Amino acid sequence: MFNLILFGPPGSGKGTQSEKLIAKYGLKHLSTGDIFRSEISNQTELGLKAKSYMDAGQLVPDAVTIGMVDKVINANKGVNGFLFDGFPRTKAQAEALDELLKGHGTEINVVLALDVPENELIQRMIGRAKTSGRSDDADPEVQQKRIAVYRNETLAVADHYRTFNKVVQLNGLGSIDDIFASLCQEIDSRK
Ligand code: ADP
């Protein structure tokens, strides 16, 4: 299996690049944000639990998120690999993911981290709000909160994988195709 984490702040382009990467490499896309949004639209118990956190720009509690990821991994045993997008978002999630993958005899191969300056992130969230219908994109206070949560909790995920030499930083500014090409180059050199 080849498992990768696409890492970066909210609005860094993880969703856009993930779509292209799964099509090219046949990986299973595991976006915790997408799963939560789908649970919300189906009005499930999990969705109801997640919604208040998401609307406030806060993280859904680790136990809820990790349990959900565990289920998805177990339900997709035959895949070529996973592309984790928006997960892990805390050090505890990263440690839990490492254990889960170990239980399946596999591991994270690489963490591709997209660098995008904060002012650009805000512009992208404002742009996305117009078409995504995502309530968490439209509100300036929630945007700031998500960026603060990224800085205070999520950057620790990169530190965690840096200790295993698994992190590659890439420029997240430029055309979608140029960024995609640089991601592919890193993957191809490791596969
Ligand atoms: P973005 O694409 O802007 O980074 P996501 O779609 O990944 O945002 O996530 C939207 C919201 O869903 C987050 O602000 C958070 O509330 C919740 N969420 C997504 N993934 C996680 C996670 N791994 N742990 C906790 N909460 C999460």
Side-chain angles (χ1 to χ4, degrees):
M1 275 173 101
F2 186 85
N3 302 300
L4 80 91
I5 296 173
L6 193 55
F7 185 82
S12 57
K14 300 186 298 288
T16 306
Q17 295 297 337
S18 290
E19 291 304 327
K20 294 171 74 73
L21 290 169
I22 56 164
K24 175 161 175 159
Y25 295 102
L27 300 171
K28 167 76 186 165
H29 187 197
L30 201 164
S31 159
T32 43
D34 285 352
I35 301 172
F36 287 136
R37 280 185 288 276
S38 134
E39 297 282 333
I40 290 170
S41 65
N42 292 322
Q43 297 182 310
T44 66
E45 204 178 312
L46 176 62
L48 286 176
K49 217 182 272 176
K51 188 173 173 12
S52 55
Y53 296 99
M54 292 173 75
D55 285 347
Q58 291 169 351
L59 295 182
V60 177
D62 281 343
V64 174
T65 307
I66 292 165
M68 182 176 87
V69 169
D70 183 22
K71 271 195 204 149
V72 178
I73 293 177
N74 278 315
N76 286 279
K77 287 203 172 113
V79 296
N80 284 337
F82 289 94
L83 189 168
F84 296 97
D85 161 9
F87 180 88
R89 250 179 164 91
T90 63
K91 184 164 193 253
Q93 290 181 12
E95 288 168 349
L97 177 62
D98 293 346
E99 281 306 306
L100 290 176
L101 291 176
K102 205 168 159 189
H104 292 275
T106 186
E107 63 175 353
I108 291 297
N109 295 84
V110 68
V111 178
L112 300 175
L114 294 171
D115 283 326
V116 177
E118 269 183 33
N119 56 347
E120 170 73 12
L121 298 174
I122 303 275
Q123 289 313 314
R124 290 188 189 178
M125 281 189 244
I126 294 169
R128 186 167 64 180
K130 292 184 187 133
T131 53
S132 68
R134 278 178 58 168
S135 46
D136 61 342
D137 279 339
D139 181 330
E141 243 173 76
V142 175
Q143 291 163 4
Q144 289 299 343
K145 176 73 189 167
R146 282 158 69 200
I147 292 174
V149 167
Y150 173 77
R151 235 189 271 127
N152 298 333
E153 302 192 52
T154 306
L155 276 178
V157 171
D159 294 338
H160 170 79
Y161 288 107
R162 223 171 260 126
T163 63
F164 304 106
N165 269 323
K166 290 184 175 179
V167 181
V168 181
Q169 299 281 146
L170 294 163
N171 181 8
L173 280 182
S175 75
I176 290 174
D177 286 343
D178 286 349
I179 297 164
F180 180 61
S182 66
L183 291 166
C184 291
Q185 201 177 7
E186 294 299 335
I187 295 170
D188 293 339
S189 73
R190 281 168 179 79
K191 277 197 88 162

